[in-house]
Amino acid sequence: GYAVHRDSARCKHCGACAAVCHFGAIRFVDGEWSLDRERCAGCGLCEEHCTGNAISLIIDPGKPLPLDIDLIRGRQAG
């Protein structure tokens, strides 16, 4: 349910995000950052390893909703 959002102004082009992506979704080709949204699983490893705090996860409307325990609890209570 999540996808990567990158703040290009904060990106240091260090390649840390691409190095930890187990899905091959993030790449640097000729110094340019690219994301394959289809391959991205929204796991958050790239966000954790981003040295410039340029990566965040956003809900991707094209993917199934992520598991949200608080939402589930709210539905059970109501």
Side-chain angles (χ1 to χ4, degrees), residues 4 17-18 21-28 33-42 63:
V4 170
C17 56
C21 183
H22 294 282
F23 305 100
I26 298 175
R27 296 181 185 199
F28 279 92
W33 187 90
S34 69
L35 172 70
D36 183 338
R37 286 194 182 274
E38 294 296 317
R39 296 184 99 180
C40 178
K63 295 182 179 181

Side-chain angles (χ1 to χ4, degrees), residues 41-55:
C43 69
L45 280 175
C46 57
E47 179 183 31
E48 290 177 23
H49 289 85
C50 180
T51 61
N53 293 319
I55 294 179

